[in-house]
Amino acid sequence: MTPRQSLMAEVASFQQELQDVRQHYLQLLDSKKQLVAHGQWEPQHLHLHIQQQRTYLEQTIQRYQVSLSKLEHRGPELFDNWRTQLPDALSTEVSGIDPNLAYIHSHARFDSTVSSAHYADATLQELLSRLKNSEQYLERNPNPRAASEVVKQTERLERATYRAVTALEQVEKATQAYLELEQAS
């Protein structure tokens, strides 16, 4: 397998992980809808529910970050291998594509994909922060009024979850575009 093919395999693997992670967030959205539909919550039950969501979210973010980190570390290594195989001077292969330019364009596409993945990571962190705030608020105020307030704030959490899902969808599109352009060139 050439370095370029290895890169495509790494991005495809990351894309598969992305799809799984996005499914986790869609489940989280369902959980939020259930939280609101439940109506009146006992503070300790609501606290436990939010604690479970937070733990689930932390595990999902960790999984995403491990996958992104692997892609980030493997990418430069594979690009270095690819660069060593490039001709010294500009030359045109039989296909009419300059291998040096193909390398430069591929590198730019890869960097753009990783950049969009980092943006998604920041969005996921924002959601986690909001969930932690709700959890801490309930810890400080274990009463029905606080529970009612947290349920109302769930609408904001839902918007943050939608942003997270949208950001992950954008990364999926970026990885798909990367793979399609790499296969075409």
Side-chain angles (χ1 to χ4, degrees):
M1 201 184 284
T2 68
R4 188 177 202 172
Q5 289 167 331
S6 297
L7 276 160
M8 288 170 71
E10 288 292 335
V11 172
S13 169
F14 178 65
Q15 186 184 47
Q16 185 59 55
E17 188 67 22
L18 263 176
Q19 288 165 353
D20 292 346
V21 166
R22 187 163 56 81
Q23 283 307 312
H24 279 238
Y25 281 90
L26 290 171
Q27 286 167 12
L28 203 61
L29 268 174
D30 284 344
S31 180
K32 291 198 183 353
K33 285 171 185 155
Q34 288 165 17
L35 189 150
V36 174
H38 187 282
Q40 195 65 33
W41 281 85
E42 285 296 318
Q44 57 271 43
H45 289 153
L46 182 59
H47 183 261
L48 180 65
H49 181 82
I50 287 177
Q51 212 171 32
Q52 287 168 340
Q53 283 193 338
R54 193 247 313 142
T55 304
Y56 178 75
L57 191 56
E58 282 174 336
Q59 290 167 348
T60 307
I61 287 174
Q62 184 182 19
R63 184 178 163 184
Y64 178 79
Q65 287 176 334
V66 165
S67 189
L68 176 55
S69 179
K70 183 183 171 217
L71 183 71
E72 275 190 298
H73 285 93
R74 194 83 175 99
E77 180 188 315
L78 289 166
F79 275 112
D80 284 346
N81 291 348
W82 186 359
R83 194 173 58 230
T84 61
Q85 297 173 13
L86 291 173
D88 292 335
L90 287 176
S91 67
T92 305
E93 288 181 332
V94 179
S95 64
I97 298 166
D98 180 347
N100 289 288
L101 282 177
Y103 167 83
I104 291 164
H105 290 157
S106 181
H107 210 318
R109 284 194 287 267
F110 181 85
D111 290 347
S112 173
T113 301
V114 170
S115 176
S116 69
H118 275 291
Y119 170 75
D121 185 41
T123 311
L124 307 185
Q125 294 295 342
E126 178 206 347
L127 175 59
L128 180 60
S129 172
R130 285 176 183 269
L131 208 51
K132 281 180 177 174
N133 288 345
S134 291
E135 190 181 352
Q136 288 162 1
Y137 180 68
L138 272 172
E139 280 169 9
R140 288 191 307 270
N141 308 289
N143 58 59
R145 188 172 170 205
S148 175
E149 189 58 38
V150 166
V151 171
K152 283 180 196 164
Q153 288 173 1
T154 298
E155 196 178 312
R156 279 184 233 139
L157 273 172
E158 200 170 311
R159 283 197 297 267
T161 310
Y162 271 120
R163 278 198 299 279
V165 170
T166 303
L168 288 168
E169 283 171 350
Q170 292 306 315
V171 184
E172 268 189 71
K173 285 177 185 168
T175 56
Q176 189 57 40
Y178 171 86
L179 291 168
E180 285 171 4
L181 287 164
E182 286 299 296
Q183 284 163 354
S185 56

